[in-house]
Amino acid sequence: MRVFFFLPLLSILFFGCPSDDDVAPIDPDPICGEFIQLVSDIPDAADTPQGIEASVDGLCLSITVGFSGCTDELATMELYTTGDIAESLPTQSSAAFVFNDSNPGEDQACLAFFNRTFEFDLTPYLEDALPSILRIDGTDIALLIE
């Protein structure tokens, strides 16, 4: 009698639970660069780069900036959006970047000029709103993302 009680219990344990193969993996890592950051208020830019170029490959946005200083290793850039997407065809969206090329406490008297490219993953923002025209605030850049 006890065998008949444990047999169904063992069947549930071995066959009733989903295996790791049944669950699709969730990839929390960006496919390129850093994720675009969704915020309610866009922070002010620390420095304005001297030259700005942008291109897109799928949902990967590349922004190249030119700036002067002593090194390019300390330069950072974050890309922000409020998440607003205009319902048109194609949809329209915008983002702003905050670029910082300085090292706190370091004299920026160097005259070297650098170009640096930063990459951003737009997937969490635009994946369900394609095609979209992405405008970069503060520039004349508008990119069609398909």
Side-chain angles (χ1 to χ4, degrees):
M1 181 80 152
R2 292 183 193 181
V3 174
F4 292 115
F5 175 73
F6 288 112
L7 187 60
L9 182 61
L10 289 175
S11 297
I12 290 171
L13 289 176
F14 286 113
F15 301 110
C17 298
S19 70
D20 291 341
D21 297 334
D22 296 336
V23 179
I26 298 172
D27 189 5
D29 296 326
I31 57 174
C32 55
E34 300 291 325
F35 282 124
I36 187 171
Q37 299 179 38
L38 288 118
V39 296
S40 57
D41 293 316
I42 308 269
D44 293 330
D47 292 316
T48 303
Q50 297 173 359
I52 304 167
E53 295 177 6
S55 63
V56 68
D57 181 13
L59 287 170
C60 294
L61 172 67
S62 296
I63 299 177
T64 301
V65 294
F67 59 96
S68 61
C70 297
T71 180
D72 69 338
E73 294 176 13
L74 303 173
T76 62
M77 182 183 290
E78 291 87 29
L79 186 67
Y80 297 95
T81 184
T82 59
D84 296 332
I85 298 176
E87 298 295 328
S88 58
L89 191 57
T91 63
Q92 296 183 42
S93 53
S94 65
F97 66 88
V98 174
F99 175 73
N100 187 347
D101 66 349
S102 64
N103 181 9
E106 182 178 307
D107 183 13
Q108 293 294 312
C110 301
L111 298 177
F113 189 80
F114 303 98
N115 284 318
R116 177 117 182 241
T117 301
F118 298 89
E119 290 189 334
F120 299 96
D121 187 346
L122 304 175
T123 303
Y125 174 50
L126 289 177
E127 183 174 45
D128 297 328
L130 296 178
S132 187
I133 296 174
L134 176 67
R135 298 184 194 289
I136 307 295
D137 294 345
T139 72
D140 59 352
I141 297 172
L143 301 164
L144 178 60
I145 301 172
E146 298 182 283

